[in-house]
């Protein structure tokens, strides 16, 4: 029962079991998605289709609907538990009556059922934050920040990549590989995971990704500049130009930067 960062949760999800009220906050969709799946699996097992969960959108959800689901026992599975997801809870909590009712629920919640909220913002000076911090689980799903305000701590991201690669993709990151990835991709957590998945395809389970592999496989085509696209277009190789533009876009190059070139 605590507030922790997503990297800490994902390192050992089994050490952080779902509580009656769980909040995933911040703007990193990849981290929110991974933690939601981990929480759901801990309650429902590996086959979420076998034991349905219920989800609501914050803007359309009424407290009555949410309360009814939370008061209903699970009809399937040995645990008899139900998981209820409230997506984009900001607008739901923006209604004072809803916030007050959720505060009351979080204070007294002790049943088997599990409520998971996702929110873009989650202010630490609110009563609800303090209630969930004391008796529930809340996970900060923003990239870790450095000493300067708004600066992402790339050292912390690199350390997480080194732990994440074997846990999720079954491979190791060799010396300097994480730094190479960050230099090429930037601290975009979802894109970094995608590139780890690509690199893992080139190795046997338990293999090691080297810095050279990162430069060759990820950087090889990502390093192609927009000028190559222009050259292909001027030479009449439209298909080549469009293919290269698509690769640059999918690699995480910002559209404004491409347009400027």
């Amino acid at each position: 029962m605590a507030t922790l960062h997503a990297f800490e949760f994902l390192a050992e999800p089994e050490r952080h079991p779902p509580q009656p009220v769980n909040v995933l906050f911040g703007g990193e969709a990849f981290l929110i998605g991974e933690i939601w799946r981990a929480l759901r699996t801990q309650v429902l097992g590996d086959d979420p289709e076998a034991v349905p969960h219920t989800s609501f959108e914050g803007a359309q959800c009424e407290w009555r609907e949410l309360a009814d689901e939370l008061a209903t026992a699970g009809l399937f599975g040995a645990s008899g538990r139900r998981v209820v997801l409230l997506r984009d809870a900001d607008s739901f909590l923006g209604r004072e009556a809803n916030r007050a009712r959720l505060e009351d629920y979080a204070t007294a919640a002790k049943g088997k059922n599990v409520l998971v909220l996702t929110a873009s913002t989650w202010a630490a000076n609110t009563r609800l934050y303090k209630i969930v911090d004391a008796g529930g689980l809340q996970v900060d799903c923003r990239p870790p920040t450095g000493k300067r305000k708004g600066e992402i701590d790339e050292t912390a991201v690199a350390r997480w990549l080194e732990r994440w690669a074997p846990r999720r993709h079954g491979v190791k990151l060799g010396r300097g590989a994480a730094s190479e990835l960050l230099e090429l991709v930037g601290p975009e957590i979802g894109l970094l995971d995608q590139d780890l998945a690509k690199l893992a395809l080139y190795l046997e389970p338990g293999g090691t990704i080297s810095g050279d592999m990162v430069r060759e496989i990820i950087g090889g085509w990502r390093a192609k500049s927009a000028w190559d696209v222009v050259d292909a277009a001027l030479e009449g190789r439209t298909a080549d130009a469009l293919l290269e533009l698509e690769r640059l876009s999918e690699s995480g190059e910002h559209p404004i930067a491409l347009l400027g070139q």
Side-chain angles (χ1 to χ4, degrees):
M1 296 187 287
T3 301
L4 61 157
H5 190 266
F7 288 176
E8 184 181 351
F9 179 97
L10 291 172
E12 295 180 287
E14 59 279 0
R15 292 190 59 189
H16 309 289
Q19 301 299 314
V21 179
N22 309 266
V23 181
L24 317 180
F25 64 93
E28 182 52 66
F30 171 80
L31 294 176
I32 288 175
E34 289 296 317
I35 294 167
W36 155 240
R37 281 186 285 274
L39 291 172
R40 185 184 64 192
T41 298
Q42 288 190 61
V43 179
L44 305 180
D46 293 329
D47 184 6
E49 299 302 322
V51 189
H53 64 270
T54 305
S55 62
F56 297 100
E57 296 296 330
Q60 288 82 40
C61 183
E62 298 295 333
W63 172 255
R64 182 188 69 257
E65 300 172 298
L66 194 64
D68 285 348
E69 285 297 323
L70 291 169
T72 303
L75 298 178
F76 305 97
S79 70
R81 303 172 79 185
R82 179 182 292 270
V83 180
V84 180
L85 173 65
L86 180 61
R87 291 191 181 93
D88 300 323
D90 304 74
S91 56
F92 178 86
L93 295 172
R95 288 171 268 170
E96 188 174 345
N98 287 342
R99 177 177 286 273
R101 286 167 178 149
L102 189 57
E103 288 171 350
D104 292 341
Y105 177 83
T107 300
K110 294 179 182 178
K112 289 183 176 181
N113 289 343
V114 172
L115 173 62
V116 180
L117 289 79
T118 69
S120 298
T121 57
W122 194 247
N125 61 352
T126 64
R127 181 168 179 259
L128 185 54
Y129 182 104
K130 294 170 184 176
I131 291 170
V132 180
D133 180 59
L137 172 68
Q138 44 194 19
V139 186
D140 185 345
C141 296
R142 297 170 295 186
T145 54
K147 294 180 180 179
R148 279 191 258 175
K149 187 177 181 180
E151 177 187 70
I152 294 177
D153 186 347
E154 295 196 2
T155 301
V157 176
R159 286 198 299 265
W160 175 75
L161 286 171
E162 290 168 355
R163 297 190 302 268
W164 183 247
R167 183 177 183 96
R168 171 49 57 90
H169 301 289
V171 295
K172 302 172 185 175
L173 281 176
R175 185 179 181 85
S179 298
E180 289 286 348
L181 261 177
L182 276 165
E183 185 175 339
L184 287 167
V185 182
E188 300 289 338
I189 309 298
L191 288 175
L192 288 166
D193 177 73
Q194 289 178 22
D195 283 337
L196 281 177
K198 293 175 190 174
L199 290 162
L201 295 174
Y202 290 82
L203 296 169
E204 296 293 329
T208 300
I209 297 171
S210 66
D212 289 341
M213 277 186 67
V214 174
R215 286 189 293 273
E216 181 180 348
I217 296 168
I218 303 301
W221 54 267
R222 182 169 274 146
K224 287 182 176 290
S225 72
W227 302 118
D228 296 324
V229 178
V230 174
D231 289 343
L234 289 174
E235 292 169 11
R237 295 183 286 112
T238 307
D240 291 342
L242 290 173
L243 178 61
E244 196 57 54
L245 183 61
E246 180 182 29
R247 287 174 172 172
L248 285 166
S249 178
E250 289 182 348
S251 74
E253 291 287 351
H254 198 287
I256 298 300
L258 292 174
L259 180 62
Q261 293 183 68

